[in-house]
Amino acid sequence: MSKDYIQLIQEAESYFDTGDIQHGIALLIQASELAGEAGEPVEQSAILNSLALAQEHSGQVAVARETLLRSFKLLRHANALTEAKVLNNLGLIEGNLGNSEAAKQYYQSSLELVTEVDDRVQMAWSLNNLGIVCKDQGQLTEARAYSEQALALLENEDAPQAQAHVLSGLGLTLELLHDVEGAQEYYQRALELYRQVDDQENEAVILHNLGQLYDNQNNFSDALEYYFKSLAINLKNQYKLGVTDNLNSLAALISTAYQVIESLEKQLDNPLRDFPLKFGHIISAWLQVLEDVLGESNSLNRSGDFSLVAALTEAESLESAIKMHKQILRFNQKIGYPVGQIKTLIDLGLLVRDAQQLDVAEQYLTQALTLAEEVANPNDLYNVYFNRGDIRMMAGRVSEAINDYAAAVDAAESIRTRLLLEEEALDYFAWPNLAAYDRLVRIQARLERTKQALSWAERAKSREFLRRLRLSDITRPQQVPQTLIEQEMQLIIQLRQTAIDLQAANEVDRLNILRNYESLEKKLCELWNKMEQFAPEYVALRQGKPTSWEELQQCLQV
Amino acid sequence: MRKDYRQLLEEAQFYLDKGDWEHGVPLLQQASKQAGEEGEPIQQSVILNNLALVQERAGQGVIARETLLYSLKLLRHVNALNEIQVLNNLGLIERNLGNLDEAIKYYEKILKIIEDIDEPFEEVRALTTLGLLYKDQNKLTKAIAHVQDALTLLEDTTVAALCEQREEGCRETVSSALALILEQLNDSPER
């Protein structure tokens, strides 16, 4: 049997004790190589450190220096990787607790550490994690750029798990940019890789994401399949967050499906009448599959959550669906998972709304709003405001509803303004994100407030116009000091050039250009703040804020 | 017979693989404590990192955060100590080769690393060595300042006791360094 490095160190020490330095040195060199091969860099560094001291004692000082420098390099690398790993985990936990900024800081620190030691795989992990936080903050261009740079770094690396992680991050971002096919492709590639390395926890996450993707397209049967597959893994392994995500989505899907079926059954030409397979049968079949999987792995009895799933699938009436959602909400609260709580509160609010309890529904949405404001994900804020607006509308509290829809518009626009690539910006206001504008136009028109209705319609249409106006040539008001105007012109020229570079950049360069763009934009915002005291309308127009026709005319006068 | 942390880890893993966290988590906690007692801080930190992930999966995000912060603190401390050990040797070699500027850079680097951890013995040692290196360069004001800083640290009785425990006669070493510098100061017009 070949000796391991610990035995070699012991032998080397006995040679040193007898004063046979050269034999001792030769054994330490061997031990260091073995420790390296065994994937023990910290041990290898310690052996090299001892070796250097022996070399120094035997008068080989220059050689000792080389050995020590190698030891230090190895140690720095190993230390950076272990610290980065903990920092990434801290980022993950802060993200799940809804603290995006704290998560970002941990990922940034981790990125700095691994960049210093030039570890491409770990750099890709940290970059992608940053991308995922940006996504949660509604900064979708940045999110995509971070993840794309991560993917490029991994191109020639044998790191399937890291690749899967990045592909999954890209899928999430593309989904928010309404690129369903792109998201689906990334998820499928990620799924394959996670299965390859037997990472069941993440396999379950991807299966759930695919379920959501189909769910959002109203493809309930495919969505169910993915949710149940994900749930089987999560229940088997007791991944509570995963189980919670599955339960949240399944509860919403099942109650929506039963409501659709109920309304179809009231129609004379019910398209489901002659359809042999009933929804209840499909659900029961999936429950059976789940039971079999858990039974095979002897985890059925231990999984107390299975009974909750079983009860959920039987929740055919609105009342039982509400009861189920309340249980799931408690589940979310128990494990302190705000992201899950927001989703359940919205769904619960909508179910209670359908049961005509509008005041209770509003309370749920208001609770969701408090959490959504803490988590500060603009996508969640949009959903909460929009749905609460609907509930208030139904309760006849029109002015409060208008306020909610307007807040929903602000949330959607806050995402839109952070989209720096043309194709992303144009795709973003696809139908779902225009719904809040649509509500506002219709309400104002019904109230015969033509001017306001027109104003919202124009605002919806003019978003792209205002966005472009930010960097266009507009006559500066005379009251603004010349030095500020010159600084502004310089910054705008630079920003325009950077925007052109951004369009043409490949995936690797995009992130750097984006950072440059952000820094220029920050300077421009600071400058506009200084200019505001001299010409507030002009600055409002530059900042892309909605402007009255009179103000526009004033600014566009040459 | 008392189990070592590796045995405890194996047992914990056995339960965790079956999804039985109620048994797995306490075993991981025991393993972490045991690794600490066995003087294996890196292993302790790794175990805590794994424990945090298990806690996170069990929906205990806030507890997981505490576990990870403790793991990071342990890891940074031990990583810093390991780096200091190699830097000390690098400084020693450069000093023996007569490359005083290079040696100074290594000891300054040690001081920078120490800023983030509480390690007064290493600080006293680096400050004293730096004092002697500046003395060798005849930069006596700087030399005195560094050794004085070391002596100030030793005024704290806890620090003094700790340093004495790590190196017998630690205070005398620092005082001798100061004496050497002052002797050179008396012989030299340079400050």
Side-chain angles (χ1 to χ4, degrees), chain A residues 387-431:
Chain A
N387 286 307
R388 195 175 70 171
D390 275 359
I391 290 164
R392 287 179 162 174
M393 232 5 242
M394 288 170 76
R397 298 187 359 236
V398 181
S399 62
E400 288 169 85
I402 289 175
N403 288 342
D404 276 349
Y405 292 134
V409 164
D410 283 344
E413 286 182 359
S414 80
I415 299 177
R416 163 70 178 244
T417 51
R418 299 297 305 250
L419 296 176
L420 303 177
L421 288 172
E422 288 299 310
E423 68 269 21
E424 289 174 353
L426 292 173
D427 284 347
Y428 184 71
F429 273 132
W431 169 243

Side-chain angles (χ1 to χ4, degrees), chain A residues 203-215:
Chain A
E203 182 187 342
V205 171
I206 296 291
L207 287 167
H208 178 81
N209 290 351
L210 277 162
Q212 273 200 317
L213 197 70
Y214 287 112
D215 200 351

Side-chain angles (χ1 to χ4, degrees), chain A residues 276-433:
Chain A
L277 205 56
K278 301 290 175 213
F279 184 72
H281 296 149
I282 299 173
I283 289 281
S284 306
W286 276 119
L287 193 65
Q288 188 57 50
V289 171
L290 189 64
E291 202 174 340
D292 292 347
V293 171
L294 294 177
E296 275 167 29
S297 58
N298 293 322
S299 38
L300 190 60
N301 294 335
R302 207 182 53 247
S303 172
D305 304 328
F306 180 76
S307 54
L308 189 59
V309 182
L312 175 74
T313 56
E314 286 158 13
E316 285 186 42
S317 68
L318 202 54
E319 288 71 29
S320 53
I322 290 170
K323 207 173 133 195
M324 262 319 108
H325 273 78
K326 283 182 183 168
Q327 278 199 40
I328 294 166
L329 180 63
R330 279 195 289 277
F331 197 88
N332 279 301
Q333 285 165 338
K334 195 174 135 197
I335 64 168
Y337 185 37
V339 180
Q341 283 179 63
I342 294 168
K343 188 174 174 1
T344 313
L345 281 164
I346 296 175
D347 291 337
L348 189 55
L350 296 181
L351 285 171
V352 175
R353 175 200 69 184
D354 294 343
Q356 301 299 319
Q357 297 169 24
L358 296 182
D359 49 344
V360 183
E362 190 184 338
Q363 281 168 22
Y364 283 130
L365 267 299
T366 306
Q367 270 186 56
L369 183 60
T370 312
L371 286 167
E373 276 169 345
E374 276 171 28
V375 174
N377 178 338
N379 218 39
D380 284 339
L381 282 169
Y382 177 87
N383 284 332
V384 177
Y385 275 123
F386 180 76
N387 286 307
R388 195 175 70 171
D390 275 359
I391 290 164
R392 287 179 162 174
M393 232 5 242
M394 288 170 76
R397 298 187 359 236
V398 181
S399 62
E400 288 169 85
I402 289 175
N403 288 342
D404 276 349
Y405 292 134
V409 164
D410 283 344
E413 286 182 359
S414 80
I415 299 177
R416 163 70 178 244
T417 51
R418 299 297 305 250
L419 296 176
L420 303 177
L421 288 172
E422 288 299 310
E423 68 269 21
E424 289 174 353
L426 292 173
D427 284 347
Y428 184 71
F429 273 132
W431 169 243
N433 298 324

Side-chain angles (χ1 to χ4, degrees), chain A residues 49 56 89 96 201 302, chain B residues 18 49 56-57 89 96:
Chain A
N49 194 23
E56 210 240 348
N89 286 338
N96 283 342
E201 188 171 14
R302 207 182 53 247
Chain B
K18 293 197 301 175
N49 195 24
E56 159 78 359
R57 284 175 197 138
N89 289 337
N96 288 347

Side-chain angles (χ1 to χ4, degrees), chain B residues 132-165:
Chain B
L132 290 170
L133 282 166
Y134 283 123
K135 175 192 81 71
D136 292 347
Q137 287 191 326
N138 216 23
K139 292 175 181 167
L140 301 179
T141 316
K142 262 190 167 178
I144 292 172
H146 278 82
V147 180
Q148 283 290 7
D149 283 349
L151 283 170
T152 310
L153 280 173
L154 288 170
E155 279 170 16
D156 183 323
T157 48
T158 323
V159 172
L162 195 128
C163 290
E164 198 54 37
Q165 200 186 342

Side-chain angles (χ1 to χ4, degrees), chain A residues 40 42-43 45 49-50 52-53 56 61-62 64-65 68-69 71-72 75-76 78-80 82-87 89-94 96-97 99 106 109 113 201 236-242 299 302 334-336, chain B residues 16-21 40 42-43 45-46 49-50 52-53 56-62 64-66 68-69 71-72 75-76 78-80 82-87 89-94 96-97 99 102 106 109 113:
Chain A
E40 302 268 15
V42 178
E43 296 303 332
S45 162
N49 194 23
S50 307
L53 292 181
E56 210 240 348
V61 185
R65 172 164 58 192
L68 276 179
L69 286 171
S71 162
F72 192 66
L75 191 61
R76 291 285 298 172
N79 288 354
T82 47
E83 285 182 30
K85 198 172 173 185
V86 182
L87 287 166
N89 286 338
L90 271 163
L92 173 85
I93 282 167
E94 291 298 349
N96 283 342
L97 287 170
N99 307 324
Y106 282 126
S109 303
L113 277 175
E201 188 171 14
K236 191 177 81 181
N237 295 291
Q238 293 280 292
Y239 299 146
K240 292 274 179 187
L241 283 191
S299 38
R302 207 182 53 247
K334 195 174 135 197
I335 64 168
Chain B
L16 293 172
D17 284 345
K18 293 197 301 175
D20 183 352
W21 298 3
E40 297 271 12
I42 295 184
Q43 291 307 325
S45 163
V46 171
N49 195 24
N50 292 336
L53 291 181
E56 159 78 359
R57 284 175 197 138
Q60 302 171 349
V62 179
R65 171 165 59 193
E66 290 310 309
L68 276 178
L69 285 173
S71 164
L72 187 64
L75 192 62
R76 281 190 168 151
V78 66
N79 284 352
N82 285 340
E83 286 182 19
I84 286 170
Q85 200 183 356
V86 184
L87 287 168
N89 289 337
L90 273 164
L92 183 76
I93 281 180
E94 294 300 347
N96 288 347
L97 285 169
N99 303 327
E102 281 300 306
Y106 286 124
K109 209 168 181 174
I113 293 175

